[in-house]
Amino acid sequence: MAFVQTDSIGWHEGERRMHSLMQVVNEFENPTDLSLTPGGAYLLGTAPLLAIGTLGQDGRPWTSIWGGEPGFSRPLGSSNIGIKTLVDRRHDPVLNALLGDLPDGEVAKENNQGQSISGLAIDLAARTRVKLAGRMCVGAFSQSRVERPDAATVGEVQLLIKVDSSLLNCPKYLNKKKVIAKLPAPKMISSTLPLPKQALELLAKADLFFMTSSVGRSHMSTNHRGGSPGFVRVMSNNADGVHLVYPEYSGNRLYQTLGNLQIAPEAGFVFPNFDNGDVLYITANTEIIFREEAAKILPRSNLIVKIIVQEARFVEGGLSFQGEEDGRSPYNPAVRHLTIEGGVAVSQASDVSRVNAKLLERALLTPTIARFRFSISDPTVSGRWKHGQYVALSFEDECSAGYSHMRNDDPKSLNDDYVRTFTVSSPPGGGKLPDDEFEITVRNVGVVTKFMFRQNVRAGLEVPLLGFGGDFVIEQKAEGVIPIVAGGVGITPLLGQTPKLDLSRLRLFWSINAQDIGLVWDTLESTPALAGSTILYISGLKVGTSATVQASLAKIVALGSKVMQRRIIEEDLQEVMGQVDKWYVCAGSTLKSKLLQWLTGKKVVYEDFNY
């Protein structure tokens, strides 16, 4: 049987404004249904969680999340739904707003207008959700009869809600979790600002939150935002204000939540801790920030929301559920860091001042590593890089496939701006290259580098150069050893700094795979003075290793380097550890984690490759 929507809600002013700002041609109708659809009713009855939002007595929105097992909310027919679940009576702001000081066991009956409510029934295990909006008809609270210290604050809420609209949403950015019911044991930790330590720890690992927005008591919306753990960033948390920021990822382009915020910037947020049932409630003002201004605050972002917290409650054990992680969404982008946290501010002000980098040469050093030489179209605008800095290049025009709602064959591409940062491996001025040229040495590991590796240099590829940044500077005092640990192509920050260093005082511990021996030979051949300070730890050497690799190894040893045919271990660093306190690390996450453990108590300066 086909279900036909006979009426359309249409777009309100805020949604139309967002469509215009984001250059969305809204020739399509608002897909929201004016009732609880059969699909929505089924999902509601099987979902173990319901994020629920409403307005407090002062008109500010709040959001909570209820449930713990399927069946606590269910359709009753004629777009009516029933809810019956354990809640925290004292601290839950949504329950406070709906039932106030209603005595235990009494029933609150609303008139036809009722208290406006919005919700999001969500099944994280199945990665499904449905948005709901309507009004409360009847509500009641029964105090728990269990004998326990917190029994006075825990009880069962029952609500009857008339649903006026519903909309099924896609699974994008939903991280899978197995939800398990538990008894709440609420304890208020903080109801003042700034946020307490426990709240900051929750934000640092949160991979989702729920938010409610509303234009007056109409157009109320509760929805989900998800990403990699830590995708919500803390701009400030002090007496001057608590400000959070999160990126708006590529979505369905309806902009219902942001449309509401365009007209009424107030919003309510809930951050659940699935590990233990702790919860952070926030009501805040918001600011939607676009394009260049967004990128100045949260680099690599085209659209962000700033959350200016007005009130907050952090409640320990306030939820009636916990959850076990069961897989991340394949659509999650990497966490983006604020500029004040060291994120790369890579947006150019305008096309008028646009600077390009033109590919001049590619030298293949190993099957997966190459050195690329570029010229700069206008060095007076781009400025000169410094020792240990990276260059930011944009490949969006070359690699982007444009907008699509879902892209299951390549989910990461939906939020990829195709801006890449590469450590400059040539020194700034006074080297073998002209002042308007630089080199990068990179491994072929993704869509952009794959594009670079297959380029015909004669085609004259030019890409926008967005700037130079970073400060991984190797310092050399009057005396003493300078220990550096590098992993594979992580050697690049050192390459651009060798001319200014006394290489005889370096102790380079270089972990490398046998297939990358060409990179080692190229490095030491061009900088022979580095060889005597280098110990190579080579993995992947096998019986029958190619004659080319064997010949390269022989030449490397002849230059004066030591070669260990195994992985680096903690004991390899012991001799130097007793001589110096400051170490430099240029390695991937796995080796870096080990080194940080081995070098406990030392000052470790490391190159962060999570640009």
Side-chain angles (χ1 to χ4, degrees):
M1 178 182 295
F3 295 89
V4 180
Q5 180 176 311
T6 56
D7 296 305
S8 173
I9 290 180
W11 303 108
H12 67 62
E13 178 188 346
E15 292 164 334
R16 291 194 298 270
R17 191 183 303 167
M18 279 301 305
H19 295 163
S20 175
L21 288 166
M22 298 306 294
Q23 300 177 339
V24 175
V25 180
N26 57 350
E27 296 175 347
F28 55 94
E29 292 185 345
N30 190 328
T32 302
D33 283 282
L34 296 174
S35 63
L36 180 61
T37 64
Y42 173 79
L43 200 159
L44 178 76
T46 57
L49 297 177
L50 176 70
I52 186 166
T54 193
L55 303 181
Q57 292 184 352
D58 59 358
R60 295 202 64 87
W62 288 92
T63 310
S64 186
I65 182 163
W66 296 349
E69 54 189 356
F72 83 94
S73 62
R74 60 191 186 278
L76 303 176
S78 300
S79 290
N80 292 308
I81 66 172
I83 299 173
K84 183 178 181 181
T85 187
L86 287 176
V87 291
D88 168 14
R89 172 63 184 265
R90 182 173 298 170
H91 310 304
D92 187 316
V94 170
L95 190 68
N96 296 161
L98 293 176
L99 300 183
D101 296 325
L102 185 72
D104 180 31
E106 287 196 15
V107 176
K109 294 183 179 180
E110 298 283 347
N111 56 29
N112 289 335
Q113 297 303 313
Q115 173 84 350
S116 296
I117 286 180
S118 58
L120 184 77
I122 189 165
D123 185 347
L124 290 170
R127 297 179 65 223
T128 54
R129 54 179 165 158
V130 60
K131 288 176 61 180
L132 311 166
R135 60 188 185 275
M136 185 181 82
C137 301
V138 178
F141 176 83
S142 300
Q143 185 174 309
S144 173
R145 304 301 180 216
V146 178
E147 293 185 4
R148 41 187 278 179
D150 52 27
T153 69
V154 175
E156 184 178 78
V157 65
Q158 296 188 62
L159 297 181
L160 174 65
I161 298 173
K162 176 68 173 180
V163 175
D164 297 327
S165 64
S166 66
L167 176 65
L168 288 164
N169 279 180
C170 71
K172 200 160 47 172
Y173 315 121
L174 294 184
N175 298 306
K176 294 183 70 174
K177 298 183 192 296
K178 297 177 181 177
V179 174
I180 305 164
K182 66 178 280 291
L183 286 173
K187 177 183 177 182
M188 176 70 81
I189 300 300
S190 173
S191 59
T192 60
L193 300 176
L195 298 175
K197 176 184 175 182
Q198 299 96 316
L200 296 177
E201 291 172 346
L202 171 54
L203 290 171
K205 68 177 183 180
D207 63 1
L208 85 169
F209 65 83
F210 302 91
M211 65 185 298
T212 297
S213 60
S214 178
V215 178
R217 295 187 179 272
S218 63
H219 296 292
M220 187 173 286
S221 171
T222 297
N223 213 335
H224 154 281
R225 294 294 186 269
S228 299
F231 77 104
V232 179
R233 310 307 297 171
V234 179
M235 283 188 70
S236 63
N237 183 50
N238 51 49
D240 294 329
V242 178
H243 298 167
L244 314 178
V245 171
Y246 75 89
E248 280 284 343
Y249 299 140
S250 174
N252 56 20
R253 291 190 164 186
L254 302 183
Y255 295 115
Q256 293 176 318
T257 297
L258 299 191
N260 284 351
L261 298 182
Q262 280 285 343
I263 298 176
E266 299 83 10
F269 301 82
V270 62
F271 293 84
N273 188 331
F274 285 87
D275 293 337
N276 54 22
D278 294 351
V279 58
L280 174 63
Y281 303 106
I282 285 174
T283 186
N285 297 333
T286 64
E287 180 184 356
I288 305 171
I289 304 173
F290 300 85
R291 300 183 179 87
E292 290 87 358
E293 294 304 311
K296 289 178 183 177
I297 297 171
L298 192 67
R300 315 286 289 274
S301 300
N302 188 49
L303 178 62
I304 64 174
V305 176
K306 182 178 179 181
I307 302 169
I308 302 105
V309 180
Q310 302 300 302
E311 297 180 50
R313 304 177 187 181
F314 184 81
V315 183
E316 180 183 283
L319 299 179
S320 59
F321 61 87
Q322 293 178 218
E324 298 176 356
E325 184 180 327
D326 194 32
R328 302 284 181 198
S329 168
Y331 285 89
N332 290 343
V335 172
R336 301 169 185 173
H337 294 88
L338 297 165
T339 302
I340 59 175
E341 297 176 298
V344 185
V346 294
S347 61
Q348 287 186 332
S350 69
D351 287 339
V352 175
S353 60
R354 175 166 167 160
V355 178
N356 287 337
K358 182 177 181 180
L359 180 61
L360 301 178
E361 182 182 25
R362 180 185 61 233
L364 196 64
L365 307 180
T366 80
T368 61
I369 298 175
R371 182 172 57 246
F372 296 84
R373 180 164 60 91
F374 289 88
S375 64
I376 304 172
S377 62
D378 191 344
T380 60
V381 174
S382 68
R384 179 175 296 283
W385 70 96
K386 300 176 183 178
H387 291 289
Q389 288 197 312
Y390 54 73
V391 61
L393 303 174
S394 175
F395 293 83
E396 183 176 15
D397 293 342
E398 311 297 332
C399 298
S400 176
Y403 170 80
S404 63
H405 180 208
M406 302 289 286
R407 195 176 292 156
N408 290 333
D409 59 331
D410 188 14
K412 296 288 187 185
S413 67
L414 289 190
N415 291 285
D416 196 340
D417 59 3
Y418 299 99
V419 172
R420 297 295 186 268
T421 53
F422 304 100
T423 302
V424 181
S425 54
S426 55
K432 62 179 182 179
L433 300 180
D435 288 348
D436 63 346
E437 294 182 10
F438 66 90
E439 292 178 335
I440 58 176
T441 305
V442 302
R443 186 184 296 278
N444 189 355
V445 292
V447 60
V448 168
T449 50
K450 183 178 180 180
F451 168 79
M452 293 170 63
F453 269 67
R454 67 170 183 256
Q455 278 301 298
N456 185 330
V457 176
R458 290 177 295 179
L461 172 69
E462 290 193 57
V463 296
L465 190 159
L466 305 183
F468 298 98
D471 56 0
F472 186 81
V473 179
I474 300 172
E475 297 177 347
Q476 184 169 264
K477 297 181 179 180
E479 57 183 20
V481 173
I482 307 168
I484 303 174
V485 187
V489 76
I491 194 69
T492 51
L494 172 61
L495 300 184
Q497 302 185 59
T498 54
K500 73 181 184 72
L501 298 172
D502 179 355
L503 300 182
S504 67
R505 290 168 50 197
L506 257 59
R507 295 295 182 271
L508 174 60
F509 303 86
W510 192 357
S511 177
I512 198 86
N513 189 279
Q515 67 178 0
D516 294 332
I517 201 69
L519 171 63
V520 179
W521 172 242
D522 179 80
T523 299
L524 299 182
E525 183 185 35
S526 60
T527 314
L530 183 60
S533 301
T534 301
I535 305 177
L536 290 178
Y537 297 88
I538 303 180
S539 59
L541 284 174
K542 302 176 182 178
V543 177
T545 299
S546 72
T548 302
V549 171
Q550 294 290 356
S552 295
L553 277 176
K555 290 188 291 185
I556 289 168
V557 172
L559 283 176
S561 296
K562 296 180 181 178
V563 175
M564 311 296 288
Q565 297 187 24
R566 58 171 174 81
R567 297 182 184 276
I568 190 172
I569 59 176
E570 183 176 2
E571 286 71 15
D572 295 322
L573 311 181
Q574 290 299 321
E575 180 181 352
V576 179
M577 284 180 67
Q579 302 177 36
V580 293
D581 290 325
K582 189 172 185 178
W583 287 69
Y584 295 90
V585 172
C586 315
S589 56
T590 301
L591 178 56
K592 184 178 75 175
S593 296
K594 291 182 180 179
L595 289 166
L596 291 177
Q597 292 178 0
W598 298 346
L599 298 171
T600 299
K602 303 293 184 181
K603 181 178 180 180
V604 180
V605 180
Y606 56 85
E607 175 81 318
D608 191 347
F609 295 102
N610 298 316
Y611 303 128

